[in-house]
Amino acid sequence: MRAGDRCRDAELVPDERGRTARPEADCPVEVALAAVAGRWTTLVLRELMHGPAAYGDLRERLPEISSKVLAERLQALAERELVSRERLAGFPARTRYRLTPAGEALRPLLVELYRTGERLTGRR
């Protein structure tokens, strides 16, 4: 039996990209999971969902994250084109981060992940 023969749920697998027998980089589910993967990534995204923020603002809002990890997460999100960065004039130099439209599109995924987590932990 081929992988496509087992995937008959049109909502779960609406096209051929999801009908694989193994994870593929272009599978929409894999793309979405990669976008939010990594410790702290969902929290950085959550903070940016409220609007643009300077690096220092993000450090204040997430005091437990190390500077190195925050920089790595912002870099990864920028490489995935989910976050843009803007240099602000003045001294010292400041950088403001904002979600791109692709980053904004992650909101429903984050909301549903939270709801699903609540159900799985029996809190809802």
Side-chain angles (χ1 to χ4, degrees), residues 1-120:
M1 180 184 311
R2 296 176 326 145
D5 295 338
R6 294 186 303 271
C7 302
R8 299 206 186 276
D9 185 330
E11 181 183 29
L12 189 60
V13 187
D15 62 42
E16 287 300 315
R17 293 172 296 167
R19 293 185 181 104
T20 64
R22 61 185 204 131
E24 298 290 346
D26 68 338
C27 172
V29 173
E30 295 296 324
V31 171
L33 289 174
V36 299
R39 189 171 171 95
W40 292 100
T41 301
T42 56
L43 297 181
V44 172
L45 288 166
R46 179 196 68 195
E47 292 307 316
L48 291 172
M49 292 284 169
H50 300 294
Y55 185 88
D57 296 334
L58 292 170
R59 288 279 292 139
E60 285 180 24
R61 295 180 201 167
L62 300 168
E64 299 294 318
I65 192 172
S66 73
S67 185
K68 177 182 183 242
V69 171
L70 178 57
E72 288 173 352
R73 293 307 170 264
L74 289 168
Q75 176 69 32
L77 290 167
E79 287 171 0
R80 294 179 194 143
E81 299 181 354
L82 300 171
V83 167
S84 65
R85 63 181 86 173
E86 172 189 6
R87 287 282 196 211
L88 302 175
F91 184 82
R94 296 184 64 201
T95 304
R96 181 170 41 208
Y97 297 88
R98 77 175 62 238
L99 293 174
T100 63
E104 291 279 354
L106 293 171
R107 178 183 285 279
L109 174 63
L110 294 176
V111 169
E112 194 55 40
L113 284 171
Y114 192 93
R115 288 180 183 151
T116 300
E118 283 185 317
R119 286 191 297 271
L120 293 173

